[in-house]
Amino acid sequence: MEETMAPKTRVSKKFDENAEMLKNVLGIGVSYDVAWREFEIAGKKAAILFVDGLIKDLPIVEIMQNFAFLERENLTPNTLHKLLAKYVTYVKAAPTDKLEDVVNKVLAGFLALIVDGMEEAILIEARQYPGRNPEEPDIERVVRGSRDGFTETILFNTALIRRRLRDPRLRTEILQAGVRSKTDICVAYLEDVANPDLVKTIKQRIMDIKIDGLPMAEKSVEEYITTGNWNPLPQVRYTERPDVAADHLLEGHVLVIVDTSPSVIIAPATYFHHLQHAEEFRQNAFIGVYLRWVRFIAVFASLFVLPLWYLFSIEPQLLPASLKFIGVEKHGEVPLLLQLIIAEIGLDMIRQSTIHTPTPLATALGLIAAFMIGDVAIKVGLFTAEVILYLAVAAVGTFATPSYELGMANRIFRLFLLLMVGALKLPGLIIGIGAVLILVARTKPFGVPYLWPLIPFNWAALKHLLVRPTLPMKNIRPSILRPIDTTRQPSAAPAKKRLPRKIRNQNRLSGKKN
């Protein structure tokens, strides 16, 4: 873009000069989807410019009908003002005197009107992106609750949030990144709640993105705003549910919504944010506590069951007599550690194969993997039966983790612990767990400690983390976010103290207010 048109190139009064420049830049006549329609308005040459497929047909028809019977005296003097006031009847229309703005807006789905003799073009927002209707997200399903989810259209996503938060202080600022893609990125926050420094940091990091394009949308943006590194822990949370996004806005988080992505970024996020699920708050508090603890146990199992079982298998003297049944009587021809590594890689192969397999065949693939491959591997001696059992327990724990990104990180940690146990046995497990804890404790997305409220310790927040509170009890926003307004349920204002009657009478006589 910068190579073909200077940023300060202005709209010319001469229609032919504008036409030549825009046709060269946009490849009109070469690109079949860029439309240039010339006609006359009150005897003046005019044209509309748009990208076919990104705009509604009806506004084009209505605008051209309005121009069909105009005479010159209808538009003179002050042609621009009269066009905008009387004949361009669409809701969102604005002039621009920069050809660069015309090109950028047309590629974003706007309709541009160029008229001979006018030093400004009129940009009309009549875009209609191809997209799907809101549907329930596959990975955040609930038994009871709303069934709408974010889509690939940024305007739909902000509308879904606005529907749940009708607060005039909700801000949805639009930014752009990518020299060629010019991807729309929305930063959403509650102005009187979110920490201004956090909002400023996120916006600045988005504006600092220097790359030709962001076709991978939210994931590419995440790596820029978190100053991407090799830490496997997810430093932001993703959601495809508008209710989850709205709830985090009320806590003081900031949302990053990227056009073409149905996943919204919630920043910042701690380890425990990734363990929460909307289902807990769609049931009563007692059931919510039960579901939360089942999930905690599943995540613990996904991390530690397999390394602990392997340790007890190679060091059976660590087990008390009542637990001697844990382990294997015969390790087989293949070393146990190699069996575990092969099984872990095989599980990932099955998962990826399921993703790439058409839905009607995915069930058949799972049956083949579970029964045929697993059963035959045990019978021929490649695996022991216990390896398959404990790997399945770990896999179930991984799939029970609400955050897909955290589940993948925990899988990497599990492999690391297995290798440490294989190398150093019990000391290896202790060193491995210590290394993982140090990594987690040192992770600070946007300056927020990843293990808060455990490190640094905050009993009030930790209590609500361990036991899902009832909503009347959930009246304080997370202090670690440093929100402007810390209270979600402010108590009623204290009653005004009534003055004694004698003083009220004296005030009334003197003209003072009681």
Side-chain angles (χ1 to χ4, degrees), residues 34-333:
V34 182
W36 173 270
R37 173 73 164 82
E38 292 190 15
F39 55 98
E40 285 191 358
I41 300 178
K44 294 184 177 184
K45 295 176 68 176
I48 54 174
L49 175 64
F50 59 93
V51 176
D52 194 12
L54 297 183
I55 196 167
K56 305 172 188 175
D57 293 333
L58 185 59
I60 301 174
V61 175
E62 290 177 348
I63 290 169
M64 296 188 71
Q65 284 177 343
N66 291 343
F67 297 154
F69 303 104
L70 292 181
E71 300 295 337
R72 185 173 291 273
E73 56 268 19
N74 297 130
L75 295 180
T76 55
N78 202 347
T79 302
L80 176 65
H81 173 74
K82 289 185 176 180
L83 280 173
L84 285 172
K86 293 183 178 181
Y87 304 110
V88 178
T89 56
Y90 210 72
V91 176
K92 293 185 179 180
T96 181
D97 61 352
K98 297 178 182 178
L99 280 177
E100 185 192 32
D101 287 346
V102 173
V103 172
N104 290 340
K105 293 296 186 182
V106 165
L107 293 175
F110 281 66
L111 173 72
L113 173 63
I114 313 290
V115 181
D116 191 25
M118 279 175 38
E119 290 184 308
E120 292 179 284
I122 298 176
L123 297 172
I124 305 165
E125 185 172 0
R127 51 186 167 180
Q128 184 178 32
Y129 289 140
R132 59 186 175 90
N133 293 324
E135 300 171 353
E136 185 176 14
D138 286 334
I139 58 175
E140 293 181 272
R141 292 182 179 274
V142 292
V143 175
R144 193 178 304 281
S146 61
R147 305 297 175 186
D148 56 347
F150 291 125
T151 71
E152 289 75 16
T153 305
I154 192 171
L155 188 61
F156 288 179
N157 295 343
T158 54
L160 288 170
I161 295 172
R162 284 277 183 190
R163 186 180 178 188
R164 287 165 170 82
L165 287 181
R166 301 176 183 179
D167 190 334
R169 290 154 295 191
L170 173 59
R171 299 290 177 259
T172 53
E173 298 187 34
I174 196 74
L175 305 171
Q176 279 192 340
V179 175
R180 295 183 184 275
S181 67
K182 301 191 185 302
T183 305
D184 290 327
I185 303 172
C186 174
V187 178
Y189 59 95
L190 286 173
E191 189 177 36
D192 61 334
V193 174
N195 184 346
D197 293 333
L198 174 62
V199 175
K200 182 180 178 181
T201 297
I202 292 175
K203 288 167 57 179
Q204 188 59 52
R205 289 181 183 179
I206 292 173
M207 290 186 287
D208 290 342
I209 295 176
K210 305 298 181 186
I211 195 172
D212 55 352
L214 297 168
M216 293 302 169
E218 83 292 347
K219 190 57 189 175
S220 302
V221 173
E222 180 207 336
E223 293 189 11
Y224 276 98
I225 65 175
T226 59
T227 59
N229 51 48
W230 290 92
N231 189 335
L233 291 166
Q235 298 182 47
V236 298
R237 181 183 177 184
Y238 287 105
T239 185
E240 295 184 30
R241 295 189 62 89
D243 50 0
V244 173
D247 188 66
H248 280 79
L249 281 174
L250 291 170
E251 288 186 347
H253 292 264
V254 177
L255 304 183
V256 179
I257 309 168
V258 185
D259 195 26
T260 73
S261 171
S263 297
V264 167
I265 294 173
I266 300 172
T270 66
Y271 187 89
F272 299 105
H273 278 108
H274 295 281
L275 301 183
Q276 297 177 8
H277 191 270
E279 181 68 20
E280 298 166 7
F281 295 93
R282 293 291 183 177
Q283 306 291 337
N284 66 46
F286 190 89
I287 301 300
V289 171
Y290 170 75
L291 294 175
R292 182 171 291 186
W293 272 97
V294 168
R295 188 173 297 112
F296 287 166
I297 293 170
V299 174
F300 181 88
S302 72
L303 267 172
F304 299 114
V305 163
L306 211 55
L308 284 172
W309 175 80
Y310 175 52
L311 175 65
F312 295 145
S313 296
I314 59 176
E315 293 283 309
Q317 67 275 13
L318 297 175
L319 285 170
S322 59
L323 298 177
K324 288 298 182 180
F325 63 90
I326 295 177
V328 291
E329 295 181 0
K330 185 179 180 182
H331 288 198
E333 301 298 328

Side-chain angles (χ1 to χ4, degrees), residues 22-36 49-52 107:
L22 291 170
K23 287 179 180 180
N24 287 336
V25 172
L26 290 170
I28 297 172
V30 178
S31 299
Y32 81 96
D33 58 336
V34 182
W36 173 270
L49 175 64
F50 59 93
V51 176
D52 194 12
L107 293 175

